[in-house]
């Protein structure tokens, strides 16, 4: 059953969805709408961490990022989490996820770097993915300068950011040069190749009444691949990966009323079979992207659970 706070928020969303005739079209309008929603609903902004702007070298220039450092940290090297935001590879920015990252930083005691990777359709695959991969390699090289422990570096991403985080860790571990301590996938996009009827949750919750619609999944996929890759490419649909045993220890979180729920559950079973599943958790009473809506009680619960897991996985000797 959906919790009452999520019900009220969803009713608010659906009440303000414009009709087809009234809706603005185009990527800039979509980005502006997403930004207004995420910033407007992000909840309290935790002041108890220090934030520094960064510019991380990439293949095609500097990539903006933010370093979050918990207040009261010791002089000892800290665990570091590279955070990759969601938005269908095309929407979202550092400000949209600022409150969430601050909260996780302070609650967990970990350093966080939030990455403002290049977005489709302006920069289709593999531009954003390359930015994430380059940033991951840079974090390992700069760990000492950043005050991070290179043996306790992790990656985290939500939605399409979870897709990018997973594929970047796959790239890194396939090379065999560096090893992540863990990865954290939050309602990730894992399969944009199979038809929607392969996943009952797509059919039940993808009609447009539960925030994320199947049409949006298809549309952002097309923006992302832009004729540069097929949807069956494992770097686009990591469900197509044949072997998961090389991946770092992986935690996966889903939401009960999310079109992406079933693919997350299926992937978690495969992670378990490959003996790399750290934890699978389903917040049954809520919707896609709920972790970003900071006033929801279920978001507060999930943030606390995620921060506690980071402490357990990365900060406990």
């Amino acid at each position: 059953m959906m919790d009452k706070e999520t019900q009220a928020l969803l009713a608010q969303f659906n009440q303000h969805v414009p009709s087809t005739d009234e809706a603005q079209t185009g990527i800039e309008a979509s980005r502006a709408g997403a930004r207004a929603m995420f910033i407007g609903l992000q909840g309290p902004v935790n002041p108890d961490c220090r934030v520094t702007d960064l510019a991380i070298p990439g293949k095609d220039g500097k990539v903006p990022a933010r370093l979050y450092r918990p207040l009261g940290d010791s002089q000892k090297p800290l665990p570091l989490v590279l955070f990759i935001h969601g938005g269908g590879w095309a929407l979202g920015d550092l400000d949209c996820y600022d409150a969430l990252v601050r909260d996780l930083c302070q609650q967990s005691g970990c350093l966080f770097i939030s990455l403002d990777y290049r977005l489709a359709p302006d920069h289709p695959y593999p531009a954003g993915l390359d930015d994430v991969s380059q940033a991951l390699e840079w974090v390992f090289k700069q760990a000492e300068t950043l005050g991070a422990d290179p043996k306790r570096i992790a990656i985290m991403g939500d939605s399409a950011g979870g897709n990018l985080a997973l594929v970047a860790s796959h790239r890194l571990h396939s090379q065999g040069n560096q090893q992540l301590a863990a990865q954290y996938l939050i309602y990730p996009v894992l399969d944009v190749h199979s038809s929607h009827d392969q996943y009952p949750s797509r059919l039940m919750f993808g009609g447009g009444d539960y925030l994320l619609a199947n049409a949006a999944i298809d549309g952002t996929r097309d923006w992302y691949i832009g004729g540069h890759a097929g949807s069956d490419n494992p770097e686009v649909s990591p469900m197509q990966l044949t072997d998961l045993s090389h991946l770092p220890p992986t935690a996966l979180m889903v939401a009960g009323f999310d079109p992406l729920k079933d693919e997350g559950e299926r992937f978690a079973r495969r992670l378990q079979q490959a003996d790399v599943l750290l934890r699978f958790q389903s917040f049954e009473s809520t919707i896609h992207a709920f972790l970003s809506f900071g006033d929801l009680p279920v978001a507060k619960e999930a943030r606390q659970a995620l921060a506690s897991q980071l402490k357990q996985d990365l900060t406990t000797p």
Side-chain angles (χ1 to χ4, degrees), residues 71 153 170 186 192 211 252:
L71 291 185
I153 292 173
H170 158 66
I186 303 166
V192 292
L211 185 67
L252 201 154

Side-chain angles (χ1 to χ4, degrees), residues 1 15 29 50 60 93 96 110 122 161 200 255 272 288 308:
M1 179 181 296
Q15 183 178 2
R50 297 195 297 273
D60 298 300
D93 56 30
C96 292
C110 297
D122 320 60
Q272 187 172 33
H288 186 76
S308 295

Side-chain angles (χ1 to χ4, degrees), residues 15 19 63 70 95 113 126 135 140 146 156 173 177 183 197 205 220 264 268 274:
Q15 183 178 2
S19 68
V63 181
D95 292 338
I113 290 179
F140 276 100
L146 294 167
M156 177 185 294
H173 281 237
N177 298 325
Q183 67 175 339
D197 60 12
F205 308 124
T220 54

Side-chain angles (χ1 to χ4, degrees), residues 16-266:
H16 291 92
V17 172
S19 68
T20 304
D21 293 337
E22 297 170 342
Q24 288 180 290
T25 57
I27 185 60
E28 293 306 325
S30 297
R31 286 174 179 161
R35 180 179 170 85
M37 180 183 72
F38 278 98
I39 293 178
L41 295 171
Q42 64 183 342
V45 177
N46 192 331
D48 294 334
C49 58
R50 297 195 297 273
V51 181
T52 306
D53 289 333
L54 301 175
I56 298 177
K59 283 187 175 181
D60 298 300
K62 301 285 188 179
V63 181
R66 286 179 187 163
L67 172 65
Y68 295 80
R69 186 181 302 276
L71 291 185
D73 62 6
S74 67
Q75 297 303 310
K76 296 180 180 179
L78 295 175
L80 186 148
V81 180
L82 179 63
F83 180 83
I84 314 301
H85 70 75
W89 302 285
L91 314 174
D93 56 30
L94 298 179
D95 292 338
C96 292
Y97 289 80
D98 181 66
L100 171 59
V101 176
R102 284 175 182 268
D103 208 11
L104 293 175
C105 168
Q106 192 58 31
Q107 287 198 55
S108 69
C110 297
L111 299 170
F112 269 75
I113 290 179
S114 184
L115 188 70
D116 203 12
Y117 59 89
R118 288 174 292 172
L119 299 176
D122 320 60
H123 304 283
Y125 168 89
L129 176 59
D130 286 344
D131 287 347
V132 177
S133 293
Q134 290 287 314
L136 201 51
E137 294 179 8
W138 180 87
V139 164
F140 276 100
K141 292 177 182 176
Q142 298 297 319
E144 183 176 346
T145 302
L146 294 167
D149 181 351
K151 295 182 179 179
R152 294 185 292 166
I153 292 173
I155 194 168
M156 177 185 294
D158 82 305
S159 196
N163 174 289
L164 294 171
L166 170 59
V167 177
S169 70
H170 158 66
R171 281 183 172 185
L172 183 75
H173 281 237
S174 295
Q175 296 168 0
N177 298 325
Q178 303 284 357
Q179 296 289 310
L180 288 164
Q183 67 175 339
Y184 302 87
L185 310 178
I186 303 166
Y187 30 78
V189 181
L190 297 166
D191 189 354
V192 292
H193 177 65
S194 301
S195 61
H196 294 299
D197 60 12
Q198 296 299 306
Y199 300 105
S201 61
R202 294 273 188 101
L203 300 181
M204 287 188 289
F205 308 124
D209 295 328
Y210 294 90
L211 185 67
L212 178 63
N214 292 333
I217 296 172
D218 294 342
T220 54
R221 172 203 62 202
D222 294 344
W223 276 345
Y224 180 49
I225 62 179
H228 296 262
S231 62
D232 61 341
N233 182 339
E235 288 202 335
V236 174
S237 291
M239 190 69 78
Q240 302 295 319
L241 289 170
T242 57
D243 181 17
L244 307 182
S245 61
H246 64 296
L247 293 175
T250 302
L252 201 154
M253 178 189 297
V254 298
F257 291 84
D258 187 346
L260 303 181
K261 179 187 178 185
D262 286 350
E263 63 205 77
E265 290 184 339
R266 184 179 299 181

